[in-house]
Amino acid sequence: MSKKVQIWSRTISGHTHHLEVTGEIIRTFVWTVDGEEILTRKTADDRARLETDDHGSMLVIHSGLGTPRRATYFAPGEDLAGMAGIGGVDLTPEPGSRAAAYERRVIEHPRRYALIETLGGAAGVVGGIVAAMVVAWILARISLPDIDLPLPNLPDLPDLPLPDLPSIPWPSIPWPDLPDVQVPEWVKWAANHLKYVWPVILAFVLAQGEIKRRRKHAEALAAQAETAEVAAETAEVGDETRLSSPTTTDSAATTEDSADSGQRRGL
């Protein structure tokens, strides 16, 4: 399978959903339900939203480098959850694909995945700080020329007489003396550095949510496979029973024929 093609599929509520994504930067999304094409769309969005009137919606996520992550189906009544990126049912990536390899890594190495995502959030914060410092360093060493712009002389505006307004005796409200509350130093530090800490915390929380989501998907697939195996074994036992039943019937019929023949012979 080409690296530029990613396929997801899954049967949900009796309908088989099949999604094929082609391309790296500008991607083409083809969504079919029960073999019928219901939507085709091109976009470069890493969080592509595929909307339909009758079949719900689909959220397809790629990484910033274009690696496919997951495709999640949302029923028509799950629009709000779909916008938030939570809920829904994940489609199963094609075996051997990049999305399948990503899912396997998340399930087999959850701690490493959470660490990588958290470090990625920290790297984004540090990168922003370093970029701001570099821009400030460059601007400090650039000497901009002084440009005198001729501004027109505007006439002085006349003073407008304002009426004297009467003073209003506002009542004095006795406020109680509030206790002097000392905020802990760690709270002050967190408040001052929240814009730097928050992206790291958010990356960690999102990583934990993705791990739980992948585990739930794997458990659902395992349960589905087990159900199919039990159904196959039940069908196999039923076939064996049906094959053995005619033999018993034939034996009974043979015995009955022998008895009738004996009676006719006077035995």
Side-chain angles (χ1 to χ4, degrees):
M1 183 183 62
S2 174
K3 291 185 176 181
K4 295 184 179 181
V5 179
Q6 175 64 53
I7 297 175
W8 287 272
S9 61
R10 186 169 182 176
T11 300
I12 304 172
S13 301
H15 298 283
T16 301
H17 296 262
H18 182 91
L19 179 66
E20 182 173 326
V21 183
T22 307
E24 291 290 338
I25 300 176
I26 300 178
R27 308 178 187 94
T28 301
F29 299 81
V30 180
W31 180 7
T32 61
V33 177
D34 296 332
E36 179 183 356
E37 183 177 321
I38 63 171
L39 184 144
T40 299
R41 182 187 173 192
K42 286 187 178 182
T43 180
D45 192 358
D46 290 334
R47 295 178 64 88
R49 285 275 300 180
L50 311 179
E51 301 279 356
T52 66
D53 296 331
D54 302 327
H55 297 279
S57 60
M58 191 89 70
L59 176 64
V60 187
I61 299 178
H62 289 72
S63 69
L65 299 177
T67 305
R69 289 294 186 246
R70 62 178 168 91
T72 305
Y73 169 75
F74 298 92
E78 293 183 291
D79 292 339
L80 184 59
M83 292 177 62
I86 59 178
V89 179
D90 290 346
L91 272 66
T92 303
E94 188 176 18
S97 63
R98 290 185 294 173
Y102 167 78
E103 184 173 277
R104 186 175 62 254
R105 288 195 302 270
V106 174
I107 295 175
E108 294 178 354
H109 308 284
R111 293 184 179 178
R112 185 177 67 180
Y113 170 77
L115 178 61
I116 291 175
E117 293 296 316
T118 304
L119 291 178
V125 174
V126 175
I129 297 175
V130 172
M133 294 175 62
V134 170
V135 172
W137 181 83
I138 294 175
L139 293 178
R141 281 155 178 77
I142 296 177
S143 58
L144 298 176
D146 295 333
I147 301 175
D148 294 332
L149 297 177
L151 299 178
N153 294 325
L154 299 177
D156 295 334
L157 298 177
D159 295 333
L160 299 177
L162 298 177
D164 294 332
L165 299 177
S167 60
I168 301 175
W170 298 104
S172 178
I173 301 175
W175 296 102
D177 294 335
L178 299 176
D180 188 11
V181 179
Q182 296 293 333
V183 180
E185 291 298 328
W186 68 269
V187 175
K188 295 180 180 178
W189 184 91
N192 293 331
H193 299 81
L194 184 61
K195 61 181 180 180
Y196 305 118
V197 177
W198 171 245
V200 180
I201 297 176
L202 180 61
F204 177 79
V205 172
L206 293 178
Q208 295 299 320
E210 187 71 7
I211 292 171
K212 292 180 180 179
R213 185 180 201 94
R214 295 299 179 175
R215 285 177 175 173
K216 181 180 178 181
H217 183 221
E219 292 172 358
L221 291 179
Q224 184 178 0
E226 184 178 356
T227 302
E229 183 178 355
V230 171
E233 292 178 356
T234 304
E236 184 178 353
V237 171
D239 292 340
E240 293 178 355
T241 304
R242 285 194 298 270
L243 291 174
S244 61
S245 295
T247 304
T248 305
T249 304
D250 293 342
S251 299
T254 303
T255 303
E256 185 177 356
D257 292 342
S258 299
D260 292 341
S261 178
Q263 290 177 358
R264 286 195 298 269
R265 295 177 182 177
L267 298 176

